[in-house]
Amino acid sequence: MAISYWRRRDRYYRLLGNRCTQCNSEYYPPAYLCRRCGSESLVDVEMPTTGQILTYTILREVMSGFEGQQPIVIGIVQLDNGVKVLGQIVDTPLDALKIGCRVRLVFRKIRDESNVGQIYYGYKFTALC
Ligand SMILES: [Zn+2]
């Protein structure tokens, strides 16, 4: 996993999706083929850094390696260009979370692998509610 992480690391530090040059549909994660018009002509485009929570769930039991982060809030966020993204929502009191809250994209540590010292970073969202 470490090698593929490093090969793709430029995509983890910004939300890099793509846009169809024929119909302007945008995708994240990037698509190989436009699902709207079928075009294969897509160009990289950075996604907006703000959006709103469409729905979310609170994980009180978490996978191995994420114990220090529980409870984990996972949400579906609709970015301001309409693209829907699954992501962790952080830095927000649980009782303040609401569907419809505005969110802002942030980059945070995802996890670390203590045996090799590798630290993985990626996108999360912080709610502005
Ligand atoms: Zn298209």
Side-chain angles (χ1 to χ4, degrees):
M1 178 165 181
I3 292 171
S4 63
Y5 174 81
W6 284 106
R7 281 186 184 145
R8 297 174 47 88
R9 69 186 181 279
D10 64 319
R11 292 189 177 269
Y12 298 122
Y13 294 97
R14 55 197 176 127
L15 222 45
L16 191 62
N18 59 12
R19 175 191 301 132
C20 173
T21 62
Q22 302 303 306
C23 73
N24 288 325
S25 294
E26 293 188 357
Y27 299 97
Y28 185 84
Y32 294 102
L33 185 73
C34 179
R35 292 189 288 270
R36 187 172 181 207
C37 75
S39 171
E40 295 179 7
S41 176
L42 296 128
V43 293
D44 285 350
V45 63
E46 206 160 328
M47 295 287 108
T49 58
T50 53
Q52 67 173 348
I53 298 172
L54 291 184
T55 190
Y56 67 92
T57 189
I58 300 169
L59 306 176
R60 297 183 191 279
E61 301 283 329
V62 298
M63 293 183 298
S64 171
F66 293 87
E67 293 86 353
Q69 299 182 40
Q70 66 190 96
I72 291 178
V73 179
I74 300 290
I76 296 175
V77 166
Q78 184 164 29
L79 300 172
D80 288 340
N81 62 353
V83 171
K84 295 172 186 150
V85 178
L86 184 71
Q88 187 176 347
I89 299 166
V90 295
D91 300 340
T92 308
L94 296 182
D95 57 0
L97 276 174
K98 291 189 304 258
I99 289 172
C101 280
R102 298 287 300 162
V103 295
R104 182 171 50 85
L105 187 74
V106 293
F107 290 86
R108 295 289 165 78
K109 183 168 77 174
I110 302 292
R111 66 187 175 99
D112 48 41
E113 290 188 346
S114 57
N115 58 337
V116 293
Q118 177 69 59
I119 300 173
Y120 295 91
Y121 293 91
Y123 73 86
K124 297 183 180 183
F125 294 97
T126 184
L128 307 173
C129 50

